[in-house]
Each structure stands twice: as structure tokens, then as C-alpha cells.
Amino acid sequence: MKVLLVDDSRLARLELKNQLKHCPQIELVGEAADVSQALQQIADTSPDLLLLDIDMPGADGFQLLEQLAEQSKLPHVIFVTAFDQYALKSFDYHATDYLLKPVTLPRLQAALAKVPAPSQRPQMTLQSQVFLKDGDRCYFVTLADIYAFEAQGNYTRVHFAAGKPMIYRNLSALEQKLPAETFFRANRSWIINTQYIRQIEPTISGGFDVSLSAELRVEISRRQASTFKQGWSL
């Protein structure tokens, strides 16, 4: 597993590097002292995991993740910080774990054990159950029950019968996990579950106007129309 350290404290980075020497499953691919350096290192090394500080000069750790979401580059994240007040907010960013400094080796090893190895990260199936958190509300929903995903900036609204929660996840990153035989990228802002298509009509622009369950209406763009016909025509 390729790991990148992001922390403005040289001493904190040194301490983590010494502890990672006792973790044989880890390959330390670099370190960064701020968000700017981190973005460059991520582009160069494509890490599987960030050990990420939050409170840094300039932009903080959360802002780094927001920039990565825009680029559809979202490695796993373990926050490593001296402050406990960010713990609740970290769950909005799908953090694998939240470590308080000073970090002990057993605690670090326990956090690393929660991160799936790259070769062990299966794509979701329709039977997969997903946990969604939107503010104080939580949902546990089967993927097959989701009608569509709608991009709204760096967030995605998930449409299903029990609600429409907003999650911090880039639409392109979600697309990589979804079963392609069922979920289709209709346009830049929507991924639809084709099982819930109720009606489809051609548009003047060369695309399709699709009616889904729950009175959702989505346009398949002209660019995506040919892909849709190839994938779902007899």
C-alpha cells in the first residue's frame, strides 16, 4: 500500500516515518509539508492512503480533500492531528480513522489494518449495502434500491425511496465503483440506475429524455446517447 505523509511538522513526519518502518505492508512514497506540496506528490505518486494532518498553514487537510474530489483523485485517508474537535467532521470526508497525536505504534497499525489493500478493493454489486451520512441523519441502503446519483459541486445527492441525502463524494469517483451493467453516466451531472427507467424519448439535441421512478427526469446527453444505445440495444 502506497502511503503519503502530509503534515507541516517535520518532527511529526519523522515520528510517523519511524513507526511505518514497523509496518511491512506499507510503502512510503513521499511526504509533504502543505497542501500545495501534497497535490504535487499525489499527482506524481498516486498514493493509496494519506496520513493527513488537518491544521496546516495556508489550506487545511479538509481543503486538500475538496481539491482532490474535483480532480476525481480520492485516496483513502487517515487523519493524524493534535486536535479532537475535528473528529465528527472527518466522517463527512469518509475518513478511515482519526488518530490523535502523539500516535502510538499499536494505534497506527490498527488504523492501517482498516484500509483494504489495493488488490482487495472489489467493485460494488447490486447487493452491496452502503452507509450514507447526511448531517445528523444516517442511512444503510442496498445499491439496487438507489434510483440515481446527482452531482452538486463536490457533493453528490443520492436518490432512493427513503430519502435524498447529500454525501461528500465526487460523481466520477462513485462511477468507478458502481456496476456498469446497471448504472449509466447519463451526463456530467447524473448517473442513473437503468432498472428504474420508466420511459425514454429522443430529444431534438440527439440525446434522450428519461423518466425514472420517483418522478425523476434526466437527459442522456448526445455524447452519451450512442454509448447508451450500444450497451442496451439488442
Side-chain angles (χ1 to χ4, degrees), residues 68-80:
L68 292 176
E70 293 177 354
Q71 304 171 18
S72 303
K73 296 178 180 179
L74 288 170
H76 288 269
V77 177
I78 295 175
F79 285 113
V80 184

Side-chain angles (χ1 to χ4, degrees), residues 14 18 43 62 95 112 138 177 187 191 205 216 222 234:
L14 179 61
N18 288 334
F62 295 128
L112 294 173
C138 298
K177 294 185 174 183
N187 55 52
I191 295 174
S205 63
L216 288 174
R222 183 174 65 177
L234 290 176

Side-chain angles (χ1 to χ4, degrees), residues 7 16-17 44 55 80 103 109 111 113 150 184 193 209 221:
D7 197 312
L16 281 173
K17 284 193 294 184
D44 292 341
D55 191 15
V80 184
V103 180
Q109 290 174 326
E150 178 188 6
F184 179 72
N193 185 338
D209 188 18
S221 67

Side-chain angles (χ1 to χ4, degrees), residues 5-216:
L5 301 182
V6 184
D7 197 312
D8 63 307
S9 168
R10 186 186 65 83
L11 185 60
R13 296 197 308 273
L14 179 61
E15 184 176 346
L16 281 173
K17 284 193 294 184
N18 288 334
Q19 292 178 333
L20 289 174
K21 293 177 182 179
H22 300 280
C23 305
Q25 78 276 27
I26 294 302
E27 176 190 1
L28 182 61
V29 295
E31 56 183 289
D34 55 37
V35 168
S36 178
Q37 291 181 14
L39 288 170
Q40 184 60 55
Q41 289 273 3
I42 292 166
D44 292 341
T45 64
S46 299
D48 302 304
L49 172 68
L50 301 180
L51 291 178
L52 178 61
D53 190 16
I54 295 176
D55 191 15
M56 295 181 288
D60 63 25
F62 295 128
Q63 291 171 306
L64 170 62
L65 297 182
E66 289 167 4
Q67 292 187 55
L68 292 176
E70 293 177 354
Q71 304 171 18
S72 303
K73 296 178 180 179
L74 288 170
H76 288 269
V77 177
I78 295 175
F79 285 113
V80 184
T81 176
F83 306 98
D84 60 3
Q85 65 263 35
Y86 300 116
L88 187 60
K89 184 177 179 180
S90 73
F91 287 102
D92 292 333
Y93 291 80
H94 301 275
T96 300
D97 210 334
Y98 189 95
L99 305 182
L100 286 175
K101 300 175 182 177
V103 180
T104 65
L105 179 58
R107 184 68 182 90
L108 176 62
Q109 290 174 326
L112 294 173
K114 298 178 182 180
V115 184
S119 61
Q120 297 175 338
R121 296 174 190 162
Q123 189 181 48
M124 291 182 176
T125 69
L126 288 178
Q127 288 70 47
S128 297
Q129 290 186 296
V130 292
F131 174 76
L132 307 173
K133 182 179 182 295
D134 184 5
D136 295 330
R137 297 204 62 180
C138 298
Y139 304 85
F140 199 52
V141 59
T142 302
L143 195 60
D145 294 333
I146 295 175
Y147 306 145
F149 298 89
E150 178 188 6
Q152 296 191 0
N154 290 331
Y155 290 78
T156 296
R157 187 174 296 282
V158 185
H159 294 265
F160 54 96
K164 296 186 292 185
M166 189 94 77
I167 62 172
Y168 182 78
R169 183 66 87 222
N170 180 278
L171 197 66
S172 295
L174 282 172
E175 184 181 13
Q176 297 173 14
K177 294 185 174 183
L178 298 172
E181 68 275 8
T182 304
F183 286 89
F184 179 72
R185 183 70 175 263
N187 55 52
R188 294 183 65 182
S189 299
W190 286 87
I191 295 174
I192 61 174
N193 185 338
T194 57
Q195 292 184 326
Y196 292 100
I197 293 178
R198 298 294 175 256
Q199 187 176 352
I200 183 167
E201 298 176 352
T203 64
I204 297 175
S205 63
F208 295 107
D209 188 18
V210 176
S211 297
L212 301 169
S213 297
E215 300 183 356
L216 288 174

